[in-house]
Amino acid sequence: MVNKLTIIDRYKKKIKLLNKHNKLYFNNDNPEISDSEYDNLKKEINDLEKNNIFLKKLKLNRTLVGSPPSNKFKKVKHLKPMLSLSNAFKKEDMKDFLKKINNFLNTKDNNIELSSEPKIDGISATLIYEKGILTKGLSRGDGIVGEDILENLKTIKNIPKKINDNEVPSLLEIRGEIYIGKKEFNKLKGNFANPRNAAGGSLRQKDPKETSKIPLQYFAYGFGFIEPMKFNTQSEFLKMISNWGFSTNPLSKVVKNLEEIEQQHSKVDSIRSSLDYDIDGLVYKVNNLKLQLRLGNTSNSPRWAIAYKFSAEKAVTKIKDIVIQVGRTGAITPVAKVEPVTVGGVVVSNATLHNEDEINRKDIRIGDTIQIQRAGDVIPQVISVDISKRNKDSLKYIFPEKCLCGSITKKELNKSTKKEDAVRRCFRGFDCNFIAKEKLKHIVSKDSFNIDGLGKKVIDQFWELKLIRKPSDIFTINYSKIRGLEGWGDLSIDNLKKAIEKSRIIELNRFIFSIGIRHIGQESAKILASYFKSIKRFLDLFDEEKRQKNLKNLVDLDGIGEIQIESIDNFFSNNKNVEIVKNLVNVLKIKDFKAQNKKGKFSNKNIMFTGGFDKMSRSEAKSLVENNGGKVLGTISKKLDILVIGNSKPTKKKIESAKKLNIKIIKEEEWYKTLNL
Ligand code: IVH
């Protein structure tokens, strides 16, 4: 007979193992064992407990979480993308936000209504009601495709399963944030670093019964798709859904100007610690939904909303050393290595010093006592130096003139301001190992190839191992070299392989963005993709003659200027870049660019504007053309279909050239009519 002590021993070991794997998955997001191995382990523990009642008395801390990830949740496309928010940190940023709104709408409204709501630090989820019945529930995923977590969401008590009102829209998509109350989180004492992780872990349980054990809650804050639409303002929407049984945040309030924004901000900040849920700021949304629609989105975030984060936490520490870092564009950033200090619950040992000018302005030296601040997720900054604590023989910091690769750095002359840049740069591109590594990090990042499991740290690791030195290496990794290394089990290798395979198929615009041509961001990459259409045509840029021909045409595109054109020319004049891009293209399948919303009033039409409009800004006019399938050009040419003349100061020369080319010309009033405005 197996004795009691042996059983206790075996039981303890298994619990320890279970907790280890829970931690690997839930805290480190890096599971080492497969789902079935995990399930077996859990079953063994359950069996031991069932057959040996005395084990329960040991009250071993078995984490509440049930099973590891599940690739098994069904992936479902969101009816409308779930975007993220841009951030504001100070009053000035909010002033800018209001100014941008007014500029876009071409108004001068100092009292634009905003709905202010706490930004809950939880996990976002979206709920779809068909004829008032909850039929779908999705996680955010990458914002475009989410995971079907309906059954788990249904276990949350304050999520209505049915809306009892005949007036409810037949299709209603409610968006909100799932969280765990702070008190409940403290009771859990699980393996999680914070309530947010615990909520995420609970939601990703394969078995909804496990989710139901953790007291999750939900605040509804917005909508995706609604048909028929019956709301005029965000505040009206919140009131109505609260009547329908959704929990909305009681601290939501309509405010009208910068002063009221600041007031509400300090008010909520002062009671923040007494709330039972974590918030990291307030979200401000333009209240009028028609205006929201006019404002629309940029690539990642709406123009009508912003997250105003609570003020940065500060701390005092000492500079141990100043080192330089090299970014993917060659920018040299000085970083202060500081004595570790806790700022807002996070241990900080690095702080950015921005650039050479900043160091000179503040006369920052090694050994100085400094104040640092950390706002949101951004890198902590040095705000001031305490000169009174400075050592008498401290020396002025001399900024290195060489890059870490040894080559001389330079400050460029800014073409538009005609001033010297504050930033020094290394110009060796992929030839500089430090730049090359950063370029790799950019290539695998979310907005580029978006390779799950291949983050910055892994790139550092694989770089050291010489597994990846140039972009195409990502697709030919020798996996036998990483098997057995710390953090790499069969399951994680398998997941990485799958993620890399998946990323081989990429849209042209993403590809263009990912190769990291300076001054070509996501928006310009899209404009270029819509011009070139296919990778075959894009590769014309390799050939000097064809490149010059194409670059000449690019001048016509609105949003591509001289700076971008010169940068593209520079990039492709460099043989190393050409070789790297060629090798990468060879291992990929790059999809032709397909513009969204191609169908519309301006399908396949090229439009140009001259002069200002009374009722809208140039930016809004541009996005109206694009949302209706058209393209906005920056110069008059035979390709132009319509020239729209605004009432305020149109350029005569442009009108004359358009007339000569027999291009259709319409006036501002007709433009509004065309759009039924
Ligand atoms: S509105 C277009 N309102 O913050 C995005 N978001 O960074 C509109 N969040 O993923 C979001 N509380 O999960 C909004 N009251 C609130 C929010 C909120 C938390 C989260 C949300 C989103 C993230 C945006």
Side-chain angles (χ1 to χ4, degrees):
M1 203 185 108
V2 196
N3 82 28
K4 215 167 150 178
L5 281 177
T6 324
I7 293 175
I8 292 180
D9 197 30
R10 192 191 304 159
Y11 178 65
K12 277 186 176 165
K13 278 191 185 137
K14 299 239 178 256
I15 291 276
K16 205 169 151 200
L17 202 63
L18 179 76
N19 287 345
K20 176 186 146 183
H21 288 299
N22 277 340
K23 192 158 176 255
L24 275 171
Y25 167 53
F26 288 103
N27 290 17
N28 309 352
D29 242 356
N30 192 12
E32 276 183 8
I33 56 174
S34 68
D35 283 16
S36 61
E37 281 171 292
Y38 182 92
D39 288 343
N40 282 342
L41 177 61
K42 242 177 72 179
K43 189 169 177 305
E44 279 175 291
I45 294 177
N46 286 342
D47 287 348
L48 276 173
E49 281 177 351
K50 212 161 62 197
N51 301 329
N52 307 284
I53 298 168
F54 59 88
L55 288 176
K56 290 244 157 142
K57 287 202 192 118
L58 293 175
K59 288 215 171 100
L60 283 191
N61 187 6
R62 174 175 163 186
T63 38
L64 270 162
V65 290
S67 41
S70 130
N71 297 323
K72 292 178 184 114
F73 286 119
K74 219 170 65 203
K75 298 262 196 294
V76 184
K77 194 162 179 230
H78 290 296
L79 296 178
K80 271 188 179 174
M82 285 180 90
L83 304 172
S84 50
L85 289 169
S86 48
N87 289 325
F89 297 104
K90 46 186 195 293
K91 193 173 172 185
E92 276 302 299
D93 299 341
M94 287 306 289
K95 201 172 155 189
D96 263 9
F97 171 67
L98 295 175
K99 199 167 131 197
K100 273 194 194 144
I101 290 174
N102 271 316
N103 282 347
F104 191 93
L105 298 172
N106 202 16
T107 48
K108 282 196 187 71
D109 188 354
N110 286 327
N111 286 300
I112 197 157
E113 272 192 12
L114 300 172
S115 168
S116 142
E117 305 152 24
K119 183 165 187 293
I120 318 294
D121 194 10
I123 304 288
S124 49
T126 186
L127 304 165
I128 295 173
Y129 293 82
E130 288 168 276
K131 300 204 172 78
I133 313 277
L134 174 61
T135 53
K136 286 191 189 89
L138 304 181
S139 67
R140 182 177 187 280
D142 62 3
I144 306 291
V145 176
E147 286 176 323
D148 176 1
I149 50 165
L150 177 65
E151 293 311 316
N152 299 21
L153 289 169
K154 273 188 180 166
T155 68
I156 300 175
K157 290 205 183 64
N158 68 342
I159 290 184
K161 317 297 173 293
K162 183 167 187 267
I163 303 166
N164 292 315
D165 182 344
N166 293 335
E167 297 289 295
V168 70
S170 50
L171 185 60
L172 171 70
E173 185 180 5
I174 299 285
R175 290 182 171 173
E177 199 82 355
I178 312 279
Y179 68 95
I180 292 187
K182 289 186 203 162
K183 279 197 214 99
E184 289 292 351
F185 173 71
N186 287 335
K187 269 195 245 161
L188 277 178
K189 289 215 170 64
N191 241 340
F192 300 106
N194 54 43
R196 188 175 188 277
N197 282 6
S202 169
L203 263 189
R204 279 155 72 183
Q205 297 300 306
K206 252 186 320 182
D207 181 357
K209 274 198 220 102
E210 297 288 339
T211 306
S212 70
K213 286 183 192 165
I214 300 179
L216 293 173
Q217 301 198 62
Y218 181 82
F219 271 129
Y221 62 67
F223 56 85
F225 207 83
I226 301 186
E227 187 57 50
M229 184 60 182
K230 43 169 55 190
F231 306 106
N232 295 309
T233 62
Q234 165 75 4
S235 48
E236 186 186 307
F237 163 79
L238 288 176
K239 202 160 151 214
M240 181 54 103
I241 61 167
S242 155
N243 288 340
W244 285 339
F246 291 90
S247 303
T248 53
N249 194 285
L251 298 167
S252 309
K253 189 181 174 195
V254 175
V255 293
K256 290 201 298 292
N257 51 43
L258 204 54
E259 279 62 48
E260 289 187 18
I261 291 176
E262 287 297 303
Q263 260 173 26
Q264 179 66 0
H265 215 67
S266 1
K267 191 179 129 200
V268 180
D269 198 4
S270 67
I271 57 163
R272 179 179 171 198
S273 56
S274 66
L275 299 174
D276 189 42
Y277 41 88
D278 281 327
I279 62 176
D280 53 1
L282 295 178
V283 183
Y284 289 86
K285 306 172 184 173
V286 169
N287 200 28
N288 182 322
L289 299 182
K290 278 210 185 93
L291 293 186
Q292 283 191 8
L293 208 65
R294 278 181 63 188
L295 286 158
N297 311 318
T298 62
S299 292
N300 295 317
S301 53
R303 289 191 192 89
W304 45 265
I306 197 160
Y308 187 2
K309 298 291 183 79
F310 288 127
S311 73
E313 318 227 18
K314 299 185 174 74
V316 171
T317 181
K318 226 172 149 176
I319 301 187
K320 291 197 295 191
D321 197 7
I322 296 177
V323 299
I324 57 170
Q325 274 176 3
V326 188
R328 72 174 171 96
T329 60
I332 310 284
T333 313
V335 175
K337 295 274 167 196
V338 301
E339 280 174 4
V341 58
T342 310
V343 197
V346 174
V347 179
V348 166
S349 42
N350 291 321
T352 176
L353 297 167
H354 300 291
N355 53 52
E356 186 176 2
D357 291 0
E358 174 89 357
I359 297 190
N360 289 338
R361 202 167 31 243
K362 293 188 178 148
D363 185 20
I364 298 169
R365 303 177 181 193
I366 295 172
D368 274 354
T369 301
I370 50 161
Q371 196 183 34
I372 60 171
Q373 73 170 19
R374 197 179 70 93
D377 300 330
V378 296
I379 311 164
Q381 303 169 316
V382 175
I383 33 181
S384 62
V385 178
D386 185 347
I387 308 258
S388 71
K389 295 220 170 84
R390 178 176 283 169
N391 199 325
K392 278 198 197 74
D393 26 274
S394 96
L395 295 174
K396 207 172 155 48
Y397 177 75
I398 312 270
F399 201 88
E401 292 198 339
K402 283 185 180 165
C403 172
L404 295 173
C405 71
S407 86
I408 287 286
T409 57
K410 263 192 266 158
K411 289 183 176 182
E412 273 177 316
L413 199 70
N414 185 314
K415 282 233 169 84
S416 38
T417 62
K418 302 265 182 291
K419 277 192 197 143
E420 198 180 52
D421 245 352
V423 180
R424 277 188 177 278
R425 282 174 204 281
C426 169
F427 289 92
R428 290 180 61 226
F430 275 104
D431 283 324
C432 164
N433 270 347
F434 298 86
I435 298 180
K437 192 159 82 171
E438 294 310 307
K439 280 182 178 281
L440 286 169
K441 290 178 187 172
H442 168 72
I443 283 207
V444 298
S445 68
K446 211 170 122 245
D447 296 325
S448 305
F449 279 73
N450 189 19
I451 306 178
D452 269 352
L454 196 55
K456 291 183 180 174
K457 287 210 177 109
V458 181
I459 291 287
D460 281 332
Q461 191 187 16
F462 287 5
W463 178 276
E464 289 311 317
L465 294 166
K466 296 202 168 76
L467 283 176
I468 300 183
R469 287 283 166 131
K470 51 186 193 308
S472 53
D473 294 345
I474 296 170
F475 299 91
T476 55
I477 295 178
N478 181 349
Y479 292 95
S480 65
K481 292 220 167 118
I482 53 174
R483 191 162 283 122
L485 289 180
E486 205 186 321
W488 290 102
D490 285 348
L491 189 66
S492 42
I493 291 182
D494 217 43
N495 285 343
L496 180 63
K497 268 189 203 164
K498 279 189 199 138
I500 290 178
E501 274 318 303
K502 206 173 98 190
S503 75
R504 265 188 214 269
I505 305 173
I506 187 167
E507 297 93 11
L508 182 61
N509 53 314
R510 260 181 190 262
F511 173 79
I512 296 175
F513 172 67
S514 72
I515 56 176
I517 306 170
R518 220 176 133 204
H519 302 297
I520 302 297
Q522 279 173 283
E523 285 300 323
S524 342
K526 246 188 228 161
I527 300 174
L528 291 175
S530 79
Y531 165 82
F532 286 105
K533 295 201 172 58
S534 69
I535 184 68
K536 191 164 169 283
R537 290 210 39 220
F538 182 73
L539 296 186
D540 279 352
L541 292 171
F542 286 169
D543 178 275
E544 167 76 34
E545 207 176 303
K546 287 184 188 161
R547 179 165 72 246
Q548 297 313 330
K549 224 169 103 193
N550 275 294
L551 292 180
K552 262 195 208 122
N553 292 337
L554 292 184
V555 185
D556 293 343
L557 304 179
D558 196 59
I560 300 286
E562 230 177 275
I563 294 181
Q564 277 97 350
I565 291 175
E566 194 184 317
S567 176
I568 298 170
D569 198 16
N570 283 341
F571 185 91
F572 287 100
S573 315
N574 176 314
N575 289 337
K576 179 98 178 194
N577 286 341
V578 169
E579 181 199 318
I580 278 176
V581 174
K582 255 187 199 160
N583 287 338
L584 186 59
V585 170
N586 282 340
V587 292
L588 301 174
K589 182 169 172 2
I590 300 169
K591 289 197 278 185
D592 288 356
F593 181 77
K594 278 204 189 70
Q596 286 164 339
N597 296 325
K598 258 290 170 198
K599 277 175 241 130
K601 285 200 180 92
F602 304 125
S603 284
N604 304 317
K605 290 264 183 298
N606 292 322
I607 317 267
M608 193 179 137
F609 303 109
T610 175
F613 295 132
D614 298 337
K615 290 198 206 158
M616 64 177 66
S617 65
R618 185 62 75 74
S619 322
E620 183 175 4
K622 182 174 181 227
S623 74
L624 278 167
V625 170
E626 284 164 358
N627 291 339
N628 281 292
K631 223 188 307 183
V632 177
L633 300 190
T635 53
I636 307 251
S637 70
K638 273 185 283 182
K639 281 175 246 156
L640 190 64
D641 296 296
I642 307 170
L643 176 71
V644 190
I645 311 177
N647 287 340
S648 164
K649 297 186 193 146
T651 316
K652 275 204 186 111
K653 220 170 150 194
K654 285 185 184 155
I655 304 175
E656 274 160 25
S657 331
K659 275 185 186 156
K660 264 190 211 140
L661 291 168
N662 262 335
I663 286 160
K664 183 176 170 185
I665 298 177
I666 65 173
K667 292 216 174 107
E668 181 165 344
E669 288 66 32
E670 205 177 332
W671 160 250
Y672 296 138
K673 261 190 224 146
T674 319
L675 288 157
N676 301 325
L677 294 175

